[in-house]
Amino acid sequence: MLRLPEYPFSVFRYASLTVNKSGFVTIETNKYGLSPALSGETVQAKIFFDHVEFFHDHHPVGHYRRSYKTNDEVYDWTQYVSVLCKKPGAIEHTRFFHQMPQQWQTFLEQTSGRERKNALQLLSEIVSDGNAALCADALELAGENGRTDADSLRQCYYMIAKKEYRPDPLKLPGSPVLNYNPNLSAYDGLTGGGANV
């Protein structure tokens, strides 16, 4: 009949792990992907029965479901977009490509060279803003308007994610006056236009 504890008891164990050159750490036989920028660093893993939390210098750097398979790889494609920007021609051959949203896989397969690099840099920007959930929406909005270049995609992303930067429509009193006759005689004099009329 004792009262239950005021706070739930959290059951986990700690482990210190070294990140390999590919950005992965190993727990038992399974690999968990962290940022490649942490290569060679030591991270702390907080291992629960159903998930694992990773910390570097007391800052969270990853959170994954815990795998009980053998030689499994658990990773998040968003951690590796910045690395893919360095070698855009090889993205179809990476383990991360097929974890991307399907729309982006299809789009990137249809691009090459500078166009693909620009698209990956935009995707990296979207992910680093913490808006990975919006990347497919930006691509869909650009497609609805018949545009697929990186600049149009960026504009669509800003329209969706950064509404505070969208200017208000220009409001003019009444209808704007478009019927006017400019005096171009000065230009005609310079080009000899008046003599040829």
Side-chain angles (χ1 to χ4, degrees):
M1 301 301 289
L2 294 176
R3 216 166 50 159
L4 289 172
E6 189 175 345
Y7 301 102
F9 180 67
S10 195
V11 180
F12 61 88
R13 67 182 170 89
Y14 275 117
S16 286
L17 308 165
T18 302
V19 183
N20 69 16
K21 63 181 180 180
S22 301
F24 283 81
V25 291
T26 303
I27 298 175
E28 292 153 3
T29 64
N30 300 314
K31 294 180 179 178
Y32 297 84
L34 303 176
S35 172
L38 293 172
S39 174
E41 297 288 328
T42 299
V43 295
Q44 289 72 43
K46 202 172 177 180
I47 306 168
F48 294 82
F49 79 96
D50 62 341
H51 71 279
V52 184
E53 299 172 6
F54 296 97
F55 298 87
H56 180 254
D57 284 341
H58 307 290
H59 297 290
V61 292
H63 183 284
Y64 293 109
R65 62 167 178 80
R66 184 172 176 188
S67 175
Y68 285 96
K69 297 178 183 177
T70 302
N71 298 320
D72 192 16
E73 286 188 348
V74 184
Y75 52 85
D76 180 2
W77 67 272
T78 61
Q79 298 271 19
Y80 296 89
V81 178
S82 59
V83 175
L84 296 177
C85 289
K86 295 175 184 173
K87 292 193 175 180
I91 58 171
E92 291 100 332
H93 308 293
T94 65
R95 58 172 69 115
F96 320 111
F97 180 68
H98 297 290
Q99 206 183 56
M100 288 182 178
Q102 184 59 50
Q103 297 98 316
W104 274 89
Q105 290 180 43
T106 305
F107 173 67
L108 289 169
E109 284 174 339
Q110 297 168 354
T111 61
S112 61
R114 187 74 187 154
E115 185 184 0
R116 177 179 284 188
K117 186 166 188 174
N118 289 340
L120 280 170
Q121 286 171 341
L122 171 61
L123 187 57
S124 180
E125 180 184 332
I126 293 171
V127 166
S128 64
D129 285 349
N131 291 323
L134 299 178
C135 64
D137 296 338
L139 194 58
E140 190 175 316
L141 180 60
E144 287 171 4
N145 291 289
R147 304 303 298 264
T148 55
D149 59 286
D151 290 333
S152 297
L153 285 172
R154 180 172 275 107
Q155 186 61 40
C156 290
Y157 165 62
Y158 288 160
M159 287 176 66
I160 294 169
K162 303 184 180 193
K163 294 178 182 170
E164 64 274 14
Y165 296 113
R166 192 186 306 176
D168 293 329
L170 185 63
K171 295 177 184 172
L172 297 173
S175 299
V177 179
L178 297 177
N179 295 327
Y180 62 95
N181 294 314
N183 183 356
L184 300 178
S185 59
Y187 294 102
D188 288 341
L190 291 171
T191 60
N196 296 327
V197 175

Short mmCIF file of all heavy atoms in Angstrom, two decimals, residues 5 7 14 40 42 70 74 77 80 85 92-94 96 100 109-110 126-127 130 134 141 144 147-148 156 181 191 194:
data_model
loop_
_atom_site.label_atom_id
_atom_site.label_comp_id
_atom_site.label_asym_id
_atom_site.label_seq_id
_atom_site.Cartn_x
_atom_site.Cartn_y
_atom_site.Cartn_z
N PRO A 5 6.23 6.00 -6.72
CA PRO A 5 7.21 7.10 -6.79
C PRO A 5 6.64 8.29 -7.55
O PRO A 5 5.86 8.13 -8.49
CB PRO A 5 8.39 6.49 -7.55
CG PRO A 5 8.21 5.01 -7.43
CD PRO A 5 6.75 4.76 -7.27
N TYR A 7 8.25 10.32 -9.48
CA TYR A 7 8.82 10.37 -10.84
C TYR A 7 9.09 8.94 -11.30
O TYR A 7 9.54 8.10 -10.52
CB TYR A 7 10.12 11.17 -10.85
CG TYR A 7 9.95 12.59 -10.38
CD1 TYR A 7 10.33 12.97 -9.09
CD2 TYR A 7 9.38 13.54 -11.22
CE1 TYR A 7 10.16 14.27 -8.65
CE2 TYR A 7 9.20 14.85 -10.79
CZ TYR A 7 9.59 15.21 -9.51
OH TYR A 7 9.41 16.50 -9.08
N TYR A 14 24.69 3.24 -19.61
CA TYR A 14 25.55 4.15 -20.37
C TYR A 14 26.66 3.37 -21.06
O TYR A 14 27.12 2.35 -20.55
CB TYR A 14 26.20 5.18 -19.44
CG TYR A 14 25.36 6.39 -19.16
CD1 TYR A 14 24.93 6.67 -17.87
CD2 TYR A 14 25.01 7.27 -20.18
CE1 TYR A 14 24.17 7.80 -17.60
CE2 TYR A 14 24.25 8.40 -19.92
CZ TYR A 14 23.83 8.66 -18.63
OH TYR A 14 23.08 9.76 -18.37
N GLY A 40 35.71 9.98 -35.37
CA GLY A 40 36.85 9.95 -34.45
C GLY A 40 36.54 10.44 -33.05
O GLY A 40 37.35 10.30 -32.14
N THR A 42 34.41 10.72 -29.35
CA THR A 42 33.78 9.81 -28.39
C THR A 42 32.42 10.36 -28.03
O THR A 42 32.27 11.54 -27.70
CB THR A 42 34.64 9.66 -27.12
OG1 THR A 42 35.91 9.13 -27.50
CG2 THR A 42 33.98 8.74 -26.12
N THR A 70 20.83 -8.72 -35.95
CA THR A 70 22.28 -8.93 -36.00
C THR A 70 22.84 -8.18 -37.20
O THR A 70 22.31 -8.29 -38.31
CB THR A 70 22.59 -10.44 -36.14
OG1 THR A 70 21.99 -11.11 -35.02
CG2 THR A 70 24.09 -10.69 -36.13
N VAL A 74 21.15 1.24 -38.49
CA VAL A 74 20.06 2.16 -38.21
C VAL A 74 20.62 3.57 -38.39
O VAL A 74 21.61 3.93 -37.75
CB VAL A 74 19.53 1.98 -36.75
CG1 VAL A 74 18.34 2.87 -36.50
CG2 VAL A 74 19.18 0.52 -36.50
N TRP A 77 18.78 9.57 -42.96
CA TRP A 77 19.36 10.15 -44.18
C TRP A 77 19.68 11.63 -44.02
O TRP A 77 20.60 12.14 -44.66
CB TRP A 77 18.43 9.95 -45.37
CG TRP A 77 17.13 10.70 -45.29
CD1 TRP A 77 15.98 10.28 -44.71
CD2 TRP A 77 16.86 12.02 -45.79
NE1 TRP A 77 15.01 11.26 -44.81
CE2 TRP A 77 15.52 12.32 -45.48
CE3 TRP A 77 17.63 12.96 -46.47
CZ2 TRP A 77 14.93 13.54 -45.82
CZ3 TRP A 77 17.04 14.17 -46.82
CH2 TRP A 77 15.71 14.44 -46.50
N TYR A 80 23.25 12.87 -43.46
CA TYR A 80 24.28 12.65 -44.47
C TYR A 80 24.11 13.50 -45.73
O TYR A 80 24.89 13.38 -46.66
CB TYR A 80 24.31 11.16 -44.85
CG TYR A 80 24.71 10.30 -43.69
CD1 TYR A 80 23.75 9.80 -42.81
CD2 TYR A 80 26.04 10.03 -43.43
CE1 TYR A 80 24.11 9.05 -41.71
CE2 TYR A 80 26.42 9.28 -42.33
CZ TYR A 80 25.45 8.78 -41.48
OH TYR A 80 25.82 8.04 -40.39
N CYS A 85 26.50 16.27 -50.78
CA CYS A 85 26.77 17.47 -51.58
C CYS A 85 28.18 17.45 -52.16
O CYS A 85 28.43 18.05 -53.20
CB CYS A 85 26.58 18.73 -50.75
SG CYS A 85 24.87 19.08 -50.34
N GLU A 92 23.11 7.78 -55.95
CA GLU A 92 22.28 6.57 -56.13
C GLU A 92 22.93 5.33 -55.56
O GLU A 92 22.27 4.33 -55.31
CB GLU A 92 21.98 6.33 -57.62
CG GLU A 92 21.06 7.35 -58.23
CD GLU A 92 21.81 8.39 -59.04
OE1 GLU A 92 23.00 8.66 -58.70
OE2 GLU A 92 21.23 8.96 -59.98
N HIS A 93 24.25 5.38 -55.35
CA HIS A 93 24.99 4.21 -54.88
C HIS A 93 25.24 4.24 -53.37
O HIS A 93 25.98 3.41 -52.86
CB HIS A 93 26.32 4.12 -55.63
CG HIS A 93 26.15 4.19 -57.12
ND1 HIS A 93 25.52 3.20 -57.85
CD2 HIS A 93 26.50 5.15 -58.01
CE1 HIS A 93 25.50 3.54 -59.12
NE2 HIS A 93 26.08 4.73 -59.25
N THR A 94 24.62 5.21 -52.68
CA THR A 94 24.81 5.28 -51.23
C THR A 94 23.68 4.57 -50.51
O THR A 94 22.59 4.38 -51.06
CB THR A 94 24.85 6.75 -50.75
OG1 THR A 94 23.57 7.35 -51.00
CG2 THR A 94 25.93 7.53 -51.47
N PHE A 96 22.09 5.81 -48.11
CA PHE A 96 21.14 6.80 -47.61
C PHE A 96 20.11 7.21 -48.64
O PHE A 96 19.05 7.70 -48.29
CB PHE A 96 21.90 8.04 -47.13
CG PHE A 96 23.18 7.71 -46.42
CD1 PHE A 96 24.40 8.00 -46.98
CD2 PHE A 96 23.14 7.08 -45.19
CE1 PHE A 96 25.58 7.68 -46.33
CE2 PHE A 96 24.31 6.75 -44.53
CZ PHE A 96 25.53 7.05 -45.09
N MET A 100 15.57 8.56 -48.49
CA MET A 100 15.03 9.90 -48.76
C MET A 100 13.56 9.78 -49.18
O MET A 100 13.11 8.73 -49.62
CB MET A 100 15.79 10.55 -49.92
CG MET A 100 17.17 11.00 -49.60
SD MET A 100 17.88 11.80 -51.06
CE MET A 100 19.46 12.28 -50.41
N GLU A 109 17.24 11.60 -59.48
CA GLU A 109 17.62 10.68 -60.55
C GLU A 109 17.54 11.35 -61.92
O GLU A 109 18.22 10.95 -62.85
CB GLU A 109 16.71 9.44 -60.52
CG GLU A 109 17.06 8.47 -59.41
CD GLU A 109 16.07 7.33 -59.29
OE1 GLU A 109 14.92 7.46 -59.76
OE2 GLU A 109 16.45 6.30 -58.71
N GLN A 110 16.69 12.37 -62.04
CA GLN A 110 16.51 13.07 -63.32
C GLN A 110 17.46 14.26 -63.48
O GLN A 110 17.41 14.95 -64.49
CB GLN A 110 15.06 13.55 -63.44
CG GLN A 110 14.05 12.42 -63.47
CD GLN A 110 12.63 12.90 -63.29
OE1 GLN A 110 12.38 14.08 -63.04
NE2 GLN A 110 11.68 11.99 -63.43
N ILE A 126 17.41 22.83 -46.20
CA ILE A 126 16.10 22.51 -45.62
C ILE A 126 16.27 21.65 -44.36
O ILE A 126 15.67 21.89 -43.33
CB ILE A 126 15.21 21.78 -46.65
CG1 ILE A 126 14.85 22.73 -47.80
CG2 ILE A 126 13.95 21.24 -46.00
CD1 ILE A 126 14.16 22.05 -48.97
N VAL A 127 17.16 20.64 -44.47
CA VAL A 127 17.40 19.72 -43.35
C VAL A 127 18.06 20.46 -42.18
O VAL A 127 17.68 20.28 -41.02
CB VAL A 127 18.26 18.53 -43.82
CG1 VAL A 127 18.81 17.75 -42.64
CG2 VAL A 127 17.44 17.62 -44.71
N GLY A 130 15.94 22.26 -39.90
CA GLY A 130 15.04 21.43 -39.10
C GLY A 130 13.69 21.23 -39.76
O GLY A 130 12.71 20.88 -39.09
N LEU A 134 9.24 19.18 -44.61
CA LEU A 134 8.68 20.05 -45.65
C LEU A 134 9.35 19.87 -47.01
O LEU A 134 8.92 20.49 -47.98
CB LEU A 134 8.82 21.52 -45.23
CG LEU A 134 8.10 21.94 -43.94
CD1 LEU A 134 8.39 23.40 -43.65
CD2 LEU A 134 6.61 21.71 -44.07
N LEU A 141 5.03 21.69 -54.62
CA LEU A 141 4.56 23.03 -54.98
C LEU A 141 5.25 23.53 -56.24
O LEU A 141 4.61 24.10 -57.13
CB LEU A 141 4.81 24.00 -53.82
CG LEU A 141 4.36 25.45 -54.04
CD1 LEU A 141 2.85 25.52 -54.31
CD2 LEU A 141 4.72 26.30 -52.83
N GLU A 144 3.74 21.75 -59.24
CA GLU A 144 2.41 22.26 -59.59
C GLU A 144 2.51 23.51 -60.45
O GLU A 144 1.62 23.82 -61.24
CB GLU A 144 1.60 22.58 -58.32
CG GLU A 144 1.13 21.35 -57.58
CD GLU A 144 0.53 21.69 -56.22
OE1 GLU A 144 0.41 22.89 -55.89
OE2 GLU A 144 0.18 20.74 -55.49
N ARG A 147 7.80 24.15 -62.44
CA ARG A 147 9.21 24.55 -62.27
C ARG A 147 9.94 23.48 -61.47
O ARG A 147 9.43 23.01 -60.45
CB ARG A 147 9.30 25.88 -61.53
CG ARG A 147 8.54 27.03 -62.15
CD ARG A 147 8.96 27.29 -63.58
NE ARG A 147 10.34 27.67 -63.70
CZ ARG A 147 10.77 28.93 -63.76
NH1 ARG A 147 9.91 29.92 -63.72
NH2 ARG A 147 12.05 29.19 -63.89
N THR A 148 11.13 23.14 -61.91
CA THR A 148 11.91 22.13 -61.18
C THR A 148 13.36 22.56 -60.97
O THR A 148 14.16 21.77 -60.50
CB THR A 148 11.91 20.78 -61.94
OG1 THR A 148 12.38 20.99 -63.27
CG2 THR A 148 10.52 20.17 -61.96
N CYS A 156 9.88 28.11 -53.42
CA CYS A 156 8.72 27.37 -52.90
C CYS A 156 8.93 26.97 -51.44
O CYS A 156 8.00 27.03 -50.63
CB CYS A 156 8.46 26.13 -53.77
SG CYS A 156 7.84 26.53 -55.41
N ASN A 181 1.62 57.92 -72.76
CA ASN A 181 2.43 58.04 -73.96
C ASN A 181 3.75 58.71 -73.61
O ASN A 181 3.82 59.94 -73.48
CB ASN A 181 1.70 58.87 -75.03
CG ASN A 181 0.45 58.15 -75.51
OD1 ASN A 181 0.51 56.97 -75.79
ND2 ASN A 181 -0.66 58.87 -75.59
N THR A 191 19.46 57.90 -82.03
CA THR A 191 19.57 56.72 -82.90
C THR A 191 19.19 57.02 -84.34
O THR A 191 19.24 56.13 -85.19
CB THR A 191 18.67 55.60 -82.37
OG1 THR A 191 17.32 56.05 -82.37
CG2 THR A 191 19.07 55.18 -80.97
N GLY A 194 14.04 59.33 -85.81
CA GLY A 194 13.09 60.28 -86.40
C GLY A 194 13.26 60.40 -87.91
O GLY A 194 12.31 60.59 -88.64
#
